[in-house]
Amino acid sequence: MLFESFALGGITLANRTVMAPMTRSRALNNQPSELMAQYYAQRASAGLIVTEGTSPSPNGLGYARIPGLFNQEQASGWQQITQAVHQVGGKIFVQLMHTGRVSQQANLPAGAKVMGPGAEVCAGEVWTDANGMQPYSAPTPMADSDIAQVIAEYVQSAKLAVQAGFDGIELHAANGYLLEQFLNANVNQRQDGYGGSAEGRNRLVLEVAAACVKAIGADKVGIRISPYGVFNGTGAFEGVEEQFLALARGLSALGLVYLHLVDHSAMGAPPVPAAFKKDLRAAFGGTFIAVGGFDAQSAQQVLQAKDADLIAFGRPFISNPDLVTRLKTGTASTPPDMSTFYTPGEKGYTDYPLAAA
Ligand SMILES: Cc1cc2nc3c(=O)[nH]c(=O)nc-3n(C[C@H](O)[C@H](O)[C@H](O)COP(=O)(O)O)c2cc1C
């Protein structure tokens, strides 16, 4: 089933593999480049590519060298990438990732601000090109006007995505970035209408999703979530399942084109309980993407059991540009070199070999 085509909203994917979104930190000055076009085009035999996390706002560029999509120059840079992918028959969504409080002032452009649902600083350190490893910066708690601005930034970015030729956007509401900072009760301590209850914590995500749907159409808006994830100070909380089921129902009512569920247990995170995955899939009702530690066999099993419609692969796509062929033929895969995951340049990026013919 993995190699069968699939109708996703208004487009047809050549197969049911998805290249998972992966930050690769090759976007010098946050500008999408020719090198990135080459990287994505090499991997375009995936049914769908979801790009690396891309910020809809100068305030969301918390990591070094991540790309933006909030001005015309960036949209033009992305256009060469969507064209390169489409030219070889691929499909591509851009992942919109606002880092929120998971950020360092030194990584932000002049005038930009580290923001979050509250004033609590994310524990740990992050790389900056200016000063090496640094603690995360203290976020400014977002006022209602900041929230309204962020929603407007997502809308503007969604429109730029369509202009740049993307087939759609993926809202990154996982892994502890801004949208999950509002969803997660361990991070969101607000007592106003954007916190304090499951409904309050779900509100920003549902408002961003609704605004993007209105701007570019529901068949172009997907979302990624990570209940039970522990990254960036998140983690499960009382009522997590009920809250996420309500979120899935709300997203379903908006007609989102897919729900992408992260399970990082293969990377040491707690597993997402199997029964809850089924409940989430049922609550959403639409296209469901599973990700985390898959190989060809486990992917086929999950598809055959109808537990997902599409299977995303992360690390295998880094080191195997022709992953789909390798999965099909059972050819051994090249292991990824972790030391070049986030380093600038071609090494460990566009220089992985194709399988011998
Ligand atoms: C180098 C690297 C960068 C990543 N960056 C992102 C990202 O920008 N956005 C995101 O949602 N997930 C990101 N992830 C998580 C992957 O999308 C995926 O969920 C994870 O690697 C598990 O899949 P795998 O076991 O097939 O690698 C990243 C993972 C890796 C290894």
Side-chain angles (χ1 to χ4, degrees):
M1 279 182 87
L2 190 54
F3 308 108
E4 288 170 9
S5 66
F6 184 81
L8 178 73
I11 58 173
T12 303
L13 312 183
N15 57 66
R16 293 177 182 233
T17 70
V18 176
M19 176 176 167
M22 284 179 293
T23 293
R24 302 305 312 277
S25 296
R26 263 72 176 181
L28 305 181
N29 299 315
N30 314 114
Q31 175 65 24
S33 67
E34 167 72 43
L35 180 66
M36 287 162 61
Q38 201 186 324
Y39 166 76
Y40 284 114
Q42 285 174 344
R43 288 156 180 79
S45 54
L48 176 68
I49 291 173
V50 183
T51 71
E52 63 209 279
T54 299
S55 182
S57 164
N59 301 327
L61 293 166
Y63 291 129
R65 287 169 270 107
I66 62 170
L69 182 50
F70 51 82
N71 63 34
Q72 284 298 330
E73 194 189 353
Q74 291 159 352
S76 308
W78 279 116
Q79 191 161 28
Q80 66 183 324
I81 295 170
T82 62
Q83 280 171 353
V85 168
H86 288 150
Q87 234 157 47
V88 286
K91 303 288 181 198
I92 183 166
F93 273 41
V94 60
Q95 186 186 55
L96 296 186
M97 170 176 88
H98 189 309
T99 52
R101 70 172 195 153
V102 180
S103 182
Q104 231 296 328
Q105 195 68 48
N107 287 332
L108 297 186
K113 246 164 84 172
V114 179
M115 298 199 293
E120 199 195 7
V121 181
C122 185
E125 293 194 324
V126 60
W127 175 259
T128 69
D129 284 340
N131 311 310
M133 293 303 287
Q134 290 291 316
Y136 287 103
S137 298
T140 301
M142 288 169 71
D144 281 354
S145 56
D146 297 315
I147 290 179
Q149 185 188 324
V150 129
I151 297 171
E153 286 172 333
Y154 273 96
V155 166
Q156 170 67 5
S157 192
K159 289 181 180 164
L160 286 173
V162 172
Q163 183 198 315
F166 281 109
D167 298 293
I169 64 170
E170 176 175 286
L171 298 172
H172 193 355
N175 303 351
Y177 300 104
L178 183 69
L179 294 181
E180 203 194 8
Q181 288 159 31
F182 276 80
L183 291 176
N184 191 279
N186 297 319
V187 181
N188 182 346
Q189 307 286 330
R190 297 173 75 102
Q191 293 303 325
D192 65 353
Y194 288 95
S197 65
E199 199 186 350
R201 289 188 295 271
N202 281 346
R203 183 173 163 195
L204 178 63
V205 171
L206 288 170
E207 289 186 357
V208 167
C212 289
V213 163
K214 191 163 169 236
I216 64 169
D219 62 349
K220 288 191 167 62
V221 182
I223 191 163
R224 190 172 223 226
I225 58 170
S226 59
Y228 288 95
V230 290
F231 202 40
N232 292 320
T234 55
F237 51 89
E238 207 190 318
V240 62
E241 296 198 1
E242 293 75 9
Q243 182 182 321
F244 274 90
L245 290 173
L247 181 70
R249 286 191 292 270
L251 295 167
S252 177
L254 292 170
L256 258 65
V257 74
Y258 69 69
L259 183 69
H260 187 171
L261 175 67
V262 170
D263 180 338
H264 280 170
S265 49
M267 294 167 116
V272 183
F276 174 54
K277 286 184 183 172
K278 285 187 196 291
D279 291 347
L280 259 183
R281 175 159 165 71
F284 182 65
T287 297
F288 194 80
I289 308 181
V291 67
F294 281 102
D295 59 19
Q297 200 189 352
S298 56
Q300 295 283 18
Q301 273 167 6
V302 165
L303 291 177
Q304 260 143 24
K306 298 203 185 315
D307 286 335
D309 302 295
L310 302 171
I311 305 290
F313 299 83
R315 290 161 295 174
F317 260 117
I318 290 182
S319 47
N320 300 279
D322 54 349
L323 182 67
V324 175
T325 307
R326 293 187 195 230
L327 292 171
K328 213 185 270 181
T329 57
T331 310
S333 56
T334 307
D337 170 12
M338 284 178 63
S339 73
T340 51
F341 274 4
Y342 306 111
T343 48
E346 296 169 16
K347 191 168 180 304
Y349 191 57
T350 48
D351 61 353
Y352 281 106
L354 302 177

